[in-house]
Each structure stands twice: as C-alpha cells, then as structure tokens.
Amino acid sequence: MAKKRPQTKGKPHVTAGARAGGADGNLPVVGAREPCPCGSGRRYKACHGRAAAHAVTELVQRPFEGLPGEGDWVALRELVPAATAELTLKDGLPEGVPSVTLATVLPMAWPALRRDDGSVLLGLQNETPSGDISRDLADTLLRALDAEPGNPVQTRRAPADGPRLQDVLAPEGTFEPIVHTGFEFWVPDSENASGEVAASLERANAAAIPTVKLSGVDSAYWCETPEKNHLRWVMPHAEEKLLDALARLHAAGTSSLGEGTRLVGSFRAHGLTVPVWDLPSAMQAEDIEKPATEFAERLAAALATDAPLTPEERRARGGLTNRQVTLS
C-alpha cells in the first residue's frame, strides 16, 4: 500500500485568489476564453487564469501539518494497508450523519462513501487531483456529508480557494488510528458477506501486509514481510536536525533496536522523515516496544546536541542520506 508517487516541485501553497487577484484576491471567475477581468486585454486563461491553474497544482510539502497526529496521517496515507480513525468536525456532525471515519482505502478506490445509515467513510490513499492533499480531502469530505445515503463520492479537483482539512476538522480533536488485520470494516456485516463482496474482501485481505502500531511511541509501525520484518517510524523533527541525530547514534553504534536489527535508511513522505529498521523475522511488534522506547530516549539526547559532527558522524550521515528516498 506504500505507493511511490511522482515528485513535483512546488512553492509554499498560495490560494489561486491571492495569486490572481493580488492583495485582495477578489477577481471574479470567468470562462477561460473570456477577457480577463483585470483589464489586461488578454484572455483569462493566458492571464490570471494561468496563475490560478498553477496554484492548484503546486505541491504542499506538509499537507497534514497542524492536524492532531500529523505523523499518523502520513503513516495511514503511505504505510498502513488497513486502518480507520474517527474524525471530529469543527462544527460538529450534521443532522443525519452519526459519524465520520477516515479509512486508508475504500472499496473500488472510492474517495468517500455515505453509507445507508448516513455515516461517512473518507478514503485517504486515493490519488488526489491537485498538489494539496488536504484541500482535496476536505472537498471530498464536505461533498460526502451532503451525499444521499448509500452513495459513493467521485473524484474531482477541489476549488483552489476551498477549505482544507485544517479548516474542517476540530484542532483540539484526537487522532487515534485503529489498525485492522483486514478490510472487514468496509461492510457492516462482513461475516455474512457473500458473492462479489466476499471475493473482493478476500482479495484485499490477501494483499495486506500485517501491520501493528506501537503503543509506547508515536507514529511507529511494525510490519511483517516474507523475508524480514520492519519498523517504520514517522518522526516530526526537522529533517536536517533529525539526520544529524541519527548519524550521531549510528556512529556510536546505538542506532539499532537490539540484536539482529539495523537502521537501514529513511524516506521522506509529506514533509516528514521516516527512518526504517530491518528486524529479524522472529521479532514481533510486542518485542520492539521496549527497544523503541529506549531508542526514543537516546534520540532525544542526540537531538539536544549542537556540537559539530565528527568525521565519523559525517560519514554516517552521508550513508543515511544516500539511502534516503522520497515517496511524495
């Protein structure tokens, strides 16, 4: 479920209105071939429309920044096959909507689903039309709240000046993912599923990599693969500071999580750095809880160090950097 997406270069996000309309951003919306309302004499698509179109494709580097549990949002987007989390809306639940639940993926790759009982499921791992995942997800969520029960919501490009998740979700709300062994959460009565529904569940479950969220540290996920197990840990620290700290520990021989484990590198995802450890196949999620907690203490001490890196630490940092990849 951890899909590589093409990297697109972009500047910090600016709404199309702000880019097109200057300080006040109040240019009216017109057709692409109509005269631009700024009075330039050019068609809208060749004038301010070009800036508006560009704005919605610019990559927002940290789309989940400011949301409770940013690291877990990244993990559920990129690492975890099957998980859900209840969402708290800033303005409360609308009438007829008993709950809103984020899901890693939905049947048929639907962006969202309004169930028969009125509850809403929002899919996180779908491809999004613009460079701002947060804005696309907020648009999908708001349309799902208004959809007729029993219907999915289709993909569309969100308005460039539309709200983001940070505008829609309660900032004081919690974000507590529940990792599932399969996709039975898709249907209310999975035990009695039959026919195409049962077959779809079976296929999805067979493809899911066993994954467990650690309880002792934030945003760390153990997963099992045929050859070896892994720990993938989404960390909120500034990338350069974190790489320095990891290099200090690596050079000191304290970057592992115990016998047979090894820090093998990291990747970037949605503006955060995700160190990855190889683990022996016999090491289960519960076995890594204590070593991960102890590592967190060593990392905190290394992050607090401002001394220049030693030659050995610089070599270790170079090795970590060379093995770093970007998912998004």
Side-chain angles (χ1 to χ4, degrees):
M1 290 289 175
K3 305 178 290 296
K4 278 199 174 185
R5 296 180 176 84
Q7 176 80 357
T8 57
K9 295 181 179 180
K11 300 175 183 177
H13 176 78
V14 182
T15 65
R19 290 179 62 88
D24 57 13
N26 287 325
L27 283 176
V29 176
V30 298
R33 301 179 65 84
E34 294 180 307
C36 186
C38 74
S40 67
R42 291 182 293 173
R43 291 176 176 174
Y44 178 69
K45 71 175 184 178
C47 190
H48 282 97
R50 178 181 299 171
H54 180 62
V56 297
T57 61
E58 290 184 341
L59 178 65
V60 176
Q61 299 288 346
R62 288 181 63 177
F64 307 117
E65 185 177 14
L67 292 174
E70 180 187 6
D72 288 313
W73 278 89
V74 172
L76 267 59
R77 170 77 179 180
E78 298 294 340
L79 307 178
V80 183
T84 56
E86 296 301 309
L87 299 181
T88 303
L89 304 187
K90 182 179 293 186
D91 297 328
L93 293 171
E95 184 178 356
V97 180
S99 63
V100 175
T101 303
L102 183 75
T104 47
V105 67
L106 295 178
M108 309 296 293
W110 287 325
L113 172 66
R114 181 87 185 271
R115 282 178 157 165
D116 290 335
D117 66 356
S119 61
V120 167
L121 288 176
L122 176 67
L124 181 58
Q125 292 185 7
N126 299 76
E127 296 293 340
T128 51
S130 80
D132 188 351
I133 297 171
S134 178
R135 195 178 308 282
D136 289 330
L137 287 172
D139 178 70
T140 299
L141 172 57
L142 293 176
R143 288 188 292 127
L145 294 174
D146 290 334
E148 289 295 322
N151 287 282
V153 174
Q154 303 302 325
T155 301
R156 77 169 188 184
R157 183 186 293 276
D161 58 351
R164 308 177 74 237
L165 287 174
Q166 289 82 348
D167 303 315
V168 175
L169 301 182
E172 71 279 2
T174 59
F175 189 72
E176 299 177 354
I178 299 173
V179 178
H180 304 278
T181 57
F183 296 90
E184 283 75 16
F185 62 85
W186 281 353
V187 291
D189 188 13
S190 60
E191 293 183 358
N192 295 320
S194 60
E196 186 177 345
V197 173
S200 178
L201 277 174
E202 184 176 356
R203 288 192 299 270
N205 289 344
I209 296 174
T211 302
V212 177
K213 184 181 189 300
L214 299 195
S215 60
V217 294
D218 292 334
S219 308
Y221 291 79
W222 169 96
C223 68
E224 180 181 34
T225 63
E227 295 183 358
K228 62 186 69 174
N229 298 340
H230 304 280
L231 183 71
R232 299 178 289 189
W233 192 339
V234 187
M235 296 188 171
H237 317 291
E239 180 180 353
E240 296 302 315
K241 187 75 172 177
L242 175 59
L243 290 175
D244 281 352
L246 292 173
R248 296 181 197 278
L249 297 178
H250 203 62
T254 58
S255 64
S256 75
L257 299 173
E259 184 177 356
T261 71
R262 184 168 68 99
L263 175 63
V264 293
S266 64
F267 59 86
R268 302 182 190 94
H270 307 295
L272 298 185
T273 303
V274 187
V276 180
W277 285 262
D278 279 351
L279 311 174
S281 296
M283 183 172 280
Q284 300 299 299
E286 59 269 21
D287 301 324
I288 206 68
E289 288 280 6
K290 182 178 178 182
T293 300
E294 294 171 347
F295 177 85
E297 296 173 356
R298 298 196 298 274
L299 179 63
L303 285 166
T305 301
D306 293 324
L309 296 179
T310 66
E312 186 177 8
E313 289 168 346
R314 287 198 299 271
R315 286 193 294 271
R317 194 187 194 283
L320 291 171
T321 303
N322 290 337
R323 296 193 297 274
Q324 190 176 51
V325 297
T326 300
L327 293 185
S328 58

PDB file of all heavy atoms in Angstrom, residues 180-214:
ATOM      1  N   HIS A 180      -6.277  -2.507  11.395  1.00  0.00           N
ATOM      2  CA  HIS A 180      -7.050  -3.734  11.233  1.00  0.00           C
ATOM      3  C   HIS A 180      -6.228  -4.795  10.516  1.00  0.00           C
ATOM      4  O   HIS A 180      -5.311  -4.481   9.742  1.00  0.00           O
ATOM      5  CB  HIS A 180      -8.321  -3.452  10.429  1.00  0.00           C
ATOM      6  CG  HIS A 180      -9.190  -2.385  11.012  1.00  0.00           C
ATOM      7  ND1 HIS A 180     -10.080  -2.622  12.043  1.00  0.00           N
ATOM      8  CD2 HIS A 180      -9.296  -1.058  10.728  1.00  0.00           C
ATOM      9  CE1 HIS A 180     -10.709  -1.492  12.351  1.00  0.00           C
ATOM     10  NE2 HIS A 180     -10.247  -0.532  11.571  1.00  0.00           N
ATOM     11  N   THR A 181      -6.569  -6.039  10.761  1.00  0.00           N
ATOM     12  CA  THR A 181      -5.887  -7.136  10.061  1.00  0.00           C
ATOM     13  C   THR A 181      -6.413  -7.305   8.649  1.00  0.00           C
ATOM     14  O   THR A 181      -5.773  -7.956   7.817  1.00  0.00           O
ATOM     15  CB  THR A 181      -6.060  -8.454  10.828  1.00  0.00           C
ATOM     16  OG1 THR A 181      -7.466  -8.716  10.989  1.00  0.00           O
ATOM     17  CG2 THR A 181      -5.406  -8.358  12.207  1.00  0.00           C
ATOM     18  N   GLY A 182      -7.564  -6.739   8.356  1.00  0.00           N
ATOM     19  CA  GLY A 182      -8.162  -6.828   7.029  1.00  0.00           C
ATOM     20  C   GLY A 182      -9.144  -5.700   6.817  1.00  0.00           C
ATOM     21  O   GLY A 182      -9.216  -4.744   7.606  1.00  0.00           O
ATOM     22  N   PHE A 183      -9.937  -5.821   5.754  1.00  0.00           N
ATOM     23  CA  PHE A 183     -10.826  -4.740   5.340  1.00  0.00           C
ATOM     24  C   PHE A 183     -12.286  -5.011   5.667  1.00  0.00           C
ATOM     25  O   PHE A 183     -13.187  -4.478   5.005  1.00  0.00           O
ATOM     26  CB  PHE A 183     -10.653  -4.489   3.843  1.00  0.00           C
ATOM     27  CG  PHE A 183      -9.280  -3.993   3.476  1.00  0.00           C
ATOM     28  CD1 PHE A 183      -8.268  -4.890   3.155  1.00  0.00           C
ATOM     29  CD2 PHE A 183      -8.999  -2.643   3.480  1.00  0.00           C
ATOM     30  CE1 PHE A 183      -6.997  -4.439   2.831  1.00  0.00           C
ATOM     31  CE2 PHE A 183      -7.732  -2.177   3.156  1.00  0.00           C
ATOM     32  CZ  PHE A 183      -6.722  -3.079   2.831  1.00  0.00           C
ATOM     33  N   GLU A 184     -12.526  -5.791   6.694  1.00  0.00           N
ATOM     34  CA  GLU A 184     -13.905  -6.085   7.075  1.00  0.00           C
ATOM     35  C   GLU A 184     -14.686  -4.830   7.472  1.00  0.00           C
ATOM     36  O   GLU A 184     -15.922  -4.829   7.460  1.00  0.00           O
ATOM     37  CB  GLU A 184     -13.929  -7.103   8.219  1.00  0.00           C
ATOM     38  CG  GLU A 184     -13.654  -8.536   7.791  1.00  0.00           C
ATOM     39  CD  GLU A 184     -12.193  -8.794   7.470  1.00  0.00           C
ATOM     40  OE1 GLU A 184     -11.329  -7.966   7.858  1.00  0.00           O
ATOM     41  OE2 GLU A 184     -11.900  -9.817   6.814  1.00  0.00           O
ATOM     42  N   PHE A 185     -13.976  -3.753   7.804  1.00  0.00           N
ATOM     43  CA  PHE A 185     -14.671  -2.512   8.165  1.00  0.00           C
ATOM     44  C   PHE A 185     -15.403  -1.909   6.960  1.00  0.00           C
ATOM     45  O   PHE A 185     -16.198  -0.984   7.111  1.00  0.00           O
ATOM     46  CB  PHE A 185     -13.691  -1.490   8.752  1.00  0.00           C
ATOM     47  CG  PHE A 185     -12.597  -1.044   7.805  1.00  0.00           C
ATOM     48  CD1 PHE A 185     -12.822  -0.011   6.905  1.00  0.00           C
ATOM     49  CD2 PHE A 185     -11.351  -1.647   7.827  1.00  0.00           C
ATOM     50  CE1 PHE A 185     -11.818   0.414   6.053  1.00  0.00           C
ATOM     51  CE2 PHE A 185     -10.335  -1.230   6.965  1.00  0.00           C
ATOM     52  CZ  PHE A 185     -10.571  -0.194   6.082  1.00  0.00           C
ATOM     53  N   TRP A 186     -15.140  -2.427   5.765  1.00  0.00           N
ATOM     54  CA  TRP A 186     -15.846  -1.934   4.588  1.00  0.00           C
ATOM     55  C   TRP A 186     -17.354  -2.143   4.675  1.00  0.00           C
ATOM     56  O   TRP A 186     -18.123  -1.337   4.176  1.00  0.00           O
ATOM     57  CB  TRP A 186     -15.328  -2.640   3.332  1.00  0.00           C
ATOM     58  CG  TRP A 186     -14.037  -2.125   2.811  1.00  0.00           C
ATOM     59  CD1 TRP A 186     -13.341  -1.035   3.245  1.00  0.00           C
ATOM     60  CD2 TRP A 186     -13.273  -2.686   1.738  1.00  0.00           C
ATOM     61  NE1 TRP A 186     -12.181  -0.886   2.514  1.00  0.00           N
ATOM     62  CE2 TRP A 186     -12.122  -1.881   1.581  1.00  0.00           C
ATOM     63  CE3 TRP A 186     -13.449  -3.786   0.907  1.00  0.00           C
ATOM     64  CZ2 TRP A 186     -11.163  -2.141   0.610  1.00  0.00           C
ATOM     65  CZ3 TRP A 186     -12.502  -4.042  -0.060  1.00  0.00           C
ATOM     66  CH2 TRP A 186     -11.364  -3.236  -0.205  1.00  0.00           C
ATOM     67  N   VAL A 187     -17.745  -3.276   5.267  1.00  0.00           N
ATOM     68  CA  VAL A 187     -19.170  -3.632   5.270  1.00  0.00           C
ATOM     69  C   VAL A 187     -19.633  -3.840   6.711  1.00  0.00           C
ATOM     70  O   VAL A 187     -18.882  -4.350   7.543  1.00  0.00           O
ATOM     71  CB  VAL A 187     -19.424  -4.909   4.439  1.00  0.00           C
ATOM     72  CG1 VAL A 187     -19.198  -4.631   2.971  1.00  0.00           C
ATOM     73  CG2 VAL A 187     -18.542  -6.052   4.892  1.00  0.00           C
ATOM     74  N   PRO A 188     -20.863  -3.470   7.018  1.00  0.00           N
ATOM     75  CA  PRO A 188     -21.350  -3.578   8.394  1.00  0.00           C
ATOM     76  C   PRO A 188     -21.414  -5.017   8.894  1.00  0.00           C
ATOM     77  O   PRO A 188     -21.199  -5.268  10.083  1.00  0.00           O
ATOM     78  CB  PRO A 188     -22.749  -2.955   8.325  1.00  0.00           C
ATOM     79  CG  PRO A 188     -22.734  -2.098   7.106  1.00  0.00           C
ATOM     80  CD  PRO A 188     -21.818  -2.780   6.147  1.00  0.00           C
ATOM     81  N   ASP A 189     -21.687  -5.973   8.014  1.00  0.00           N
ATOM     82  CA  ASP A 189     -21.848  -7.375   8.425  1.00  0.00           C
ATOM     83  C   ASP A 189     -20.936  -8.250   7.576  1.00  0.00           C
ATOM     84  O   ASP A 189     -21.385  -9.016   6.734  1.00  0.00           O
ATOM     85  CB  ASP A 189     -23.308  -7.803   8.269  1.00  0.00           C
ATOM     86  CG  ASP A 189     -23.579  -9.193   8.867  1.00  0.00           C
ATOM     87  OD1 ASP A 189     -22.705  -9.691   9.603  1.00  0.00           O
ATOM     88  OD2 ASP A 189     -24.647  -9.751   8.588  1.00  0.00           O
ATOM     89  N   SER A 190     -19.631  -8.123   7.806  1.00  0.00           N
ATOM     90  CA  SER A 190     -18.664  -8.813   6.946  1.00  0.00           C
ATOM     91  C   SER A 190     -18.735 -10.331   7.091  1.00  0.00           C
ATOM     92  O   SER A 190     -18.426 -11.062   6.142  1.00  0.00           O
ATOM     93  CB  SER A 190     -17.249  -8.340   7.278  1.00  0.00           C
ATOM     94  OG  SER A 190     -16.930  -8.608   8.639  1.00  0.00           O
ATOM     95  N   GLU A 191     -19.146 -10.817   8.258  1.00  0.00           N
ATOM     96  CA  GLU A 191     -19.188 -12.261   8.468  1.00  0.00           C
ATOM     97  C   GLU A 191     -20.200 -12.942   7.547  1.00  0.00           C
ATOM     98  O   GLU A 191     -20.043 -14.111   7.201  1.00  0.00           O
ATOM     99  CB  GLU A 191     -19.507 -12.577   9.929  1.00  0.00           C
ATOM    100  CG  GLU A 191     -18.402 -12.163  10.901  1.00  0.00           C
ATOM    101  CD  GLU A 191     -18.734 -12.559  12.322  1.00  0.00           C
ATOM    102  OE1 GLU A 191     -19.834 -13.117  12.540  1.00  0.00           O
ATOM    103  OE2 GLU A 191     -17.896 -12.309  13.218  1.00  0.00           O
ATOM    104  N   ASN A 192     -21.220 -12.214   7.165  1.00  0.00           N
ATOM    105  CA  ASN A 192     -22.249 -12.786   6.299  1.00  0.00           C
ATOM    106  C   ASN A 192     -22.131 -12.309   4.857  1.00  0.00           C
ATOM    107  O   ASN A 192     -23.056 -12.486   4.064  1.00  0.00           O
ATOM    108  CB  ASN A 192     -23.640 -12.450   6.841  1.00  0.00           C
ATOM    109  CG  ASN A 192     -23.894 -13.110   8.184  1.00  0.00           C
ATOM    110  OD1 ASN A 192     -23.521 -14.263   8.403  1.00  0.00           O
ATOM    111  ND2 ASN A 192     -24.514 -12.372   9.099  1.00  0.00           N
ATOM    112  N   ALA A 193     -20.988 -11.705   4.513  1.00  0.00           N
ATOM    113  CA  ALA A 193     -20.799 -11.248   3.139  1.00  0.00           C
ATOM    114  C   ALA A 193     -20.705 -12.441   2.201  1.00  0.00           C
ATOM    115  O   ALA A 193     -20.188 -13.505   2.554  1.00  0.00           O
ATOM    116  CB  ALA A 193     -19.530 -10.404   3.040  1.00  0.00           C
ATOM    117  N   SER A 194     -21.200 -12.270   1.004  1.00  0.00           N
ATOM    118  CA  SER A 194     -21.180 -13.359   0.028  1.00  0.00           C
ATOM    119  C   SER A 194     -20.979 -12.788  -1.358  1.00  0.00           C
ATOM    120  O   SER A 194     -20.973 -11.576  -1.571  1.00  0.00           O
ATOM    121  CB  SER A 194     -22.501 -14.146   0.081  1.00  0.00           C
ATOM    122  OG  SER A 194     -23.601 -13.298  -0.216  1.00  0.00           O
ATOM    123  N   GLY A 195     -20.766 -13.655  -2.321  1.00  0.00           N
ATOM    124  CA  GLY A 195     -20.665 -13.256  -3.710  1.00  0.00           C
ATOM    125  C   GLY A 195     -19.506 -12.317  -3.970  1.00  0.00           C
ATOM    126  O   GLY A 195     -18.391 -12.514  -3.477  1.00  0.00           O
ATOM    127  N   GLU A 196     -19.776 -11.272  -4.744  1.00  0.00           N
ATOM    128  CA  GLU A 196     -18.731 -10.343  -5.163  1.00  0.00           C
ATOM    129  C   GLU A 196     -18.120  -9.602  -3.982  1.00  0.00           C
ATOM    130  O   GLU A 196     -16.915  -9.343  -3.952  1.00  0.00           O
ATOM    131  CB  GLU A 196     -19.318  -9.344  -6.160  1.00  0.00           C
ATOM    132  CG  GLU A 196     -18.276  -8.422  -6.760  1.00  0.00           C
ATOM    133  CD  GLU A 196     -18.860  -7.477  -7.795  1.00  0.00           C
ATOM    134  OE1 GLU A 196     -20.005  -7.737  -8.241  1.00  0.00           O
ATOM    135  OE2 GLU A 196     -18.186  -6.507  -8.148  1.00  0.00           O
ATOM    136  N   VAL A 197     -18.942  -9.280  -2.986  1.00  0.00           N
ATOM    137  CA  VAL A 197     -18.422  -8.578  -1.805  1.00  0.00           C
ATOM    138  C   VAL A 197     -17.415  -9.458  -1.072  1.00  0.00           C
ATOM    139  O   VAL A 197     -16.325  -9.008  -0.702  1.00  0.00           O
ATOM    140  CB  VAL A 197     -19.574  -8.175  -0.873  1.00  0.00           C
ATOM    141  CG1 VAL A 197     -19.021  -7.598   0.433  1.00  0.00           C
ATOM    142  CG2 VAL A 197     -20.486  -7.168  -1.555  1.00  0.00           C
ATOM    143  N   ALA A 198     -17.764 -10.709  -0.849  1.00  0.00           N
ATOM    144  CA  ALA A 198     -16.859 -11.629  -0.159  1.00  0.00           C
ATOM    145  C   ALA A 198     -15.570 -11.832  -0.950  1.00  0.00           C
ATOM    146  O   ALA A 198     -14.472 -11.875  -0.374  1.00  0.00           O
ATOM    147  CB  ALA A 198     -17.564 -12.963   0.081  1.00  0.00           C
ATOM    148  N   ALA A 199     -15.684 -11.946  -2.274  1.00  0.00           N
ATOM    149  CA  ALA A 199     -14.498 -12.142  -3.105  1.00  0.00           C
ATOM    150  C   ALA A 199     -13.591 -10.915  -3.067  1.00  0.00           C
ATOM    151  O   ALA A 199     -12.358 -11.037  -3.012  1.00  0.00           O
ATOM    152  CB  ALA A 199     -14.919 -12.457  -4.537  1.00  0.00           C
ATOM    153  N   SER A 200     -14.197  -9.728  -3.081  1.00  0.00           N
ATOM    154  CA  SER A 200     -13.415  -8.503  -3.021  1.00  0.00           C
ATOM    155  C   SER A 200     -12.679  -8.388  -1.699  1.00  0.00           C
ATOM    156  O   SER A 200     -11.494  -8.020  -1.651  1.00  0.00           O
ATOM    157  CB  SER A 200     -14.333  -7.296  -3.221  1.00  0.00           C
ATOM    158  OG  SER A 200     -13.608  -6.088  -3.131  1.00  0.00           O
ATOM    159  N   LEU A 201     -13.361  -8.723  -0.614  1.00  0.00           N
ATOM    160  CA  LEU A 201     -12.715  -8.702   0.698  1.00  0.00           C
ATOM    161  C   LEU A 201     -11.559  -9.680   0.761  1.00  0.00           C
ATOM    162  O   LEU A 201     -10.485  -9.379   1.298  1.00  0.00           O
ATOM    163  CB  LEU A 201     -13.735  -9.028   1.786  1.00  0.00           C
ATOM    164  CG  LEU A 201     -14.613  -7.891   2.295  1.00  0.00           C
ATOM    165  CD1 LEU A 201     -15.657  -8.417   3.261  1.00  0.00           C
ATOM    166  CD2 LEU A 201     -13.773  -6.812   2.962  1.00  0.00           C
ATOM    167  N   GLU A 202     -11.759 -10.853   0.202  1.00  0.00           N
ATOM    168  CA  GLU A 202     -10.711 -11.874   0.238  1.00  0.00           C
ATOM    169  C   GLU A 202      -9.472 -11.409  -0.522  1.00  0.00           C
ATOM    170  O   GLU A 202      -8.344 -11.583  -0.049  1.00  0.00           O
ATOM    171  CB  GLU A 202     -11.243 -13.175  -0.352  1.00  0.00           C
ATOM    172  CG  GLU A 202     -10.252 -14.327  -0.258  1.00  0.00           C
ATOM    173  CD  GLU A 202     -10.827 -15.648  -0.770  1.00  0.00           C
ATOM    174  OE1 GLU A 202     -12.033 -15.669  -1.130  1.00  0.00           O
ATOM    175  OE2 GLU A 202     -10.079 -16.638  -0.822  1.00  0.00           O
ATOM    176  N   ARG A 203      -9.671 -10.805  -1.684  1.00  0.00           N
ATOM    177  CA  ARG A 203      -8.533 -10.307  -2.467  1.00  0.00           C
ATOM    178  C   ARG A 203      -7.800  -9.197  -1.725  1.00  0.00           C
ATOM    179  O   ARG A 203      -6.565  -9.174  -1.680  1.00  0.00           O
ATOM    180  CB  ARG A 203      -9.011  -9.812  -3.828  1.00  0.00           C
ATOM    181  CG  ARG A 203      -9.442 -10.907  -4.794  1.00  0.00           C
ATOM    182  CD  ARG A 203      -9.612 -10.354  -6.190  1.00  0.00           C
ATOM    183  NE  ARG A 203     -10.639  -9.310  -6.253  1.00  0.00           N
ATOM    184  CZ  ARG A 203     -11.921  -9.546  -6.502  1.00  0.00           C
ATOM    185  NH1 ARG A 203     -12.343 -10.789  -6.706  1.00  0.00           N
ATOM    186  NH2 ARG A 203     -12.788  -8.548  -6.555  1.00  0.00           N
ATOM    187  N   ALA A 204      -8.559  -8.264  -1.157  1.00  0.00           N
ATOM    188  CA  ALA A 204      -7.929  -7.146  -0.452  1.00  0.00           C
ATOM    189  C   ALA A 204      -7.166  -7.634   0.773  1.00  0.00           C
ATOM    190  O   ALA A 204      -6.039  -7.187   1.040  1.00  0.00           O
ATOM    191  CB  ALA A 204      -8.991  -6.124  -0.045  1.00  0.00           C
ATOM    192  N   ASN A 205      -7.748  -8.547   1.523  1.00  0.00           N
ATOM    193  CA  ASN A 205      -7.092  -9.060   2.726  1.00  0.00           C
ATOM    194  C   ASN A 205      -5.817  -9.823   2.387  1.00  0.00           C
ATOM    195  O   ASN A 205      -4.820  -9.761   3.120  1.00  0.00           O
ATOM    196  CB  ASN A 205      -8.047  -9.952   3.508  1.00  0.00           C
ATOM    197  CG  ASN A 205      -9.165  -9.168   4.176  1.00  0.00           C
ATOM    198  OD1 ASN A 205      -9.078  -7.955   4.307  1.00  0.00           O
ATOM    199  ND2 ASN A 205     -10.219  -9.861   4.588  1.00  0.00           N
ATOM    200  N   ALA A 206      -5.831 -10.536   1.265  1.00  0.00           N
ATOM    201  CA  ALA A 206      -4.657 -11.318   0.880  1.00  0.00           C
ATOM    202  C   ALA A 206      -3.477 -10.413   0.521  1.00  0.00           C
ATOM    203  O   ALA A 206      -2.308 -10.814   0.673  1.00  0.00           O
ATOM    204  CB  ALA A 206      -5.004 -12.223  -0.304  1.00  0.00           C
ATOM    205  N   ALA A 207      -3.776  -9.206   0.056  1.00  0.00           N
ATOM    206  CA  ALA A 207      -2.709  -8.293  -0.357  1.00  0.00           C
ATOM    207  C   ALA A 207      -2.191  -7.433   0.785  1.00  0.00           C
ATOM    208  O   ALA A 207      -1.167  -6.756   0.635  1.00  0.00           O
ATOM    209  CB  ALA A 207      -3.208  -7.401  -1.481  1.00  0.00           C
ATOM    210  N   ALA A 208      -2.865  -7.429   1.913  1.00  0.00           N
ATOM    211  CA  ALA A 208      -2.496  -6.542   3.020  1.00  0.00           C
ATOM    212  C   ALA A 208      -1.305  -7.095   3.797  1.00  0.00           C
ATOM    213  O   ALA A 208      -1.295  -8.261   4.206  1.00  0.00           O
ATOM    214  CB  ALA A 208      -3.684  -6.351   3.957  1.00  0.00           C
ATOM    215  N   ILE A 209      -0.296  -6.273   3.999  1.00  0.00           N
ATOM    216  CA  ILE A 209       0.874  -6.657   4.795  1.00  0.00           C
ATOM    217  C   ILE A 209       0.515  -6.529   6.276  1.00  0.00           C
ATOM    218  O   ILE A 209       0.025  -5.474   6.709  1.00  0.00           O
ATOM    219  CB  ILE A 209       2.068  -5.751   4.470  1.00  0.00           C
ATOM    220  CG1 ILE A 209       2.499  -5.920   3.016  1.00  0.00           C
ATOM    221  CG2 ILE A 209       3.238  -6.019   5.406  1.00  0.00           C
ATOM    222  CD1 ILE A 209       3.571  -4.945   2.585  1.00  0.00           C
ATOM    223  N   PRO A 210       0.730  -7.561   7.073  1.00  0.00           N
ATOM    224  CA  PRO A 210       0.433  -7.457   8.510  1.00  0.00           C
ATOM    225  C   PRO A 210       1.163  -6.279   9.150  1.00  0.00           C
ATOM    226  O   PRO A 210       2.381  -6.144   9.016  1.00  0.00           O
ATOM    227  CB  PRO A 210       0.930  -8.793   9.069  1.00  0.00           C
ATOM    228  CG  PRO A 210       0.859  -9.738   7.909  1.00  0.00           C
ATOM    229  CD  PRO A 210       1.203  -8.915   6.704  1.00  0.00           C
ATOM    230  N   THR A 211       0.429  -5.420   9.817  1.00  0.00           N
ATOM    231  CA  THR A 211       0.971  -4.176  10.361  1.00  0.00           C
ATOM    232  C   THR A 211       0.404  -3.940  11.747  1.00  0.00           C
ATOM    233  O   THR A 211      -0.772  -4.200  11.999  1.00  0.00           O
ATOM    234  CB  THR A 211       0.616  -2.988   9.445  1.00  0.00           C
ATOM    235  OG1 THR A 211       1.128  -3.237   8.128  1.00  0.00           O
ATOM    236  CG2 THR A 211       1.200  -1.686   9.966  1.00  0.00           C
ATOM    237  N   VAL A 212       1.254  -3.428  12.656  1.00  0.00           N
ATOM    238  CA  VAL A 212       0.831  -3.127  14.026  1.00  0.00           C
ATOM    239  C   VAL A 212       1.393  -1.769  14.425  1.00  0.00           C
ATOM    240  O   VAL A 212       2.567  -1.471  14.179  1.00  0.00           O
ATOM    241  CB  VAL A 212       1.319  -4.201  15.018  1.00  0.00           C
ATOM    242  CG1 VAL A 212       0.938  -3.827  16.446  1.00  0.00           C
ATOM    243  CG2 VAL A 212       0.762  -5.573  14.650  1.00  0.00           C
ATOM    244  N   LYS A 213       0.563  -0.946  15.043  1.00  0.00           N
ATOM    245  CA  LYS A 213       1.007   0.345  15.563  1.00  0.00           C
ATOM    246  C   LYS A 213       1.565   0.154  16.964  1.00  0.00           C
ATOM    247  O   LYS A 213       0.910  -0.431  17.828  1.00  0.00           O
ATOM    248  CB  LYS A 213      -0.165   1.328  15.598  1.00  0.00           C
ATOM    249  CG  LYS A 213       0.214   2.746  16.026  1.00  0.00           C
ATOM    250  CD  LYS A 213      -1.031   3.633  16.059  1.00  0.00           C
ATOM    251  CE  LYS A 213      -0.678   5.091  16.268  1.00  0.00           C
ATOM    252  NZ  LYS A 213       0.048   5.344  17.534  1.00  0.00           N
ATOM    253  N   LEU A 214       2.790   0.648  17.198  1.00  0.00           N
ATOM    254  CA  LEU A 214       3.364   0.546  18.533  1.00  0.00           C
ATOM    255  C   LEU A 214       2.610   1.458  19.491  1.00  0.00           C
ATOM    256  O   LEU A 214       2.133   2.540  19.123  1.00  0.00           O
ATOM    257  CB  LEU A 214       4.847   0.925  18.517  1.00  0.00           C
ATOM    258  CG  LEU A 214       5.791   0.076  17.658  1.00  0.00           C
ATOM    259  CD1 LEU A 214       7.247   0.363  18.045  1.00  0.00           C
ATOM    260  CD2 LEU A 214       5.499  -1.407  17.770  1.00  0.00           C
TER     261      LEU A 214
END
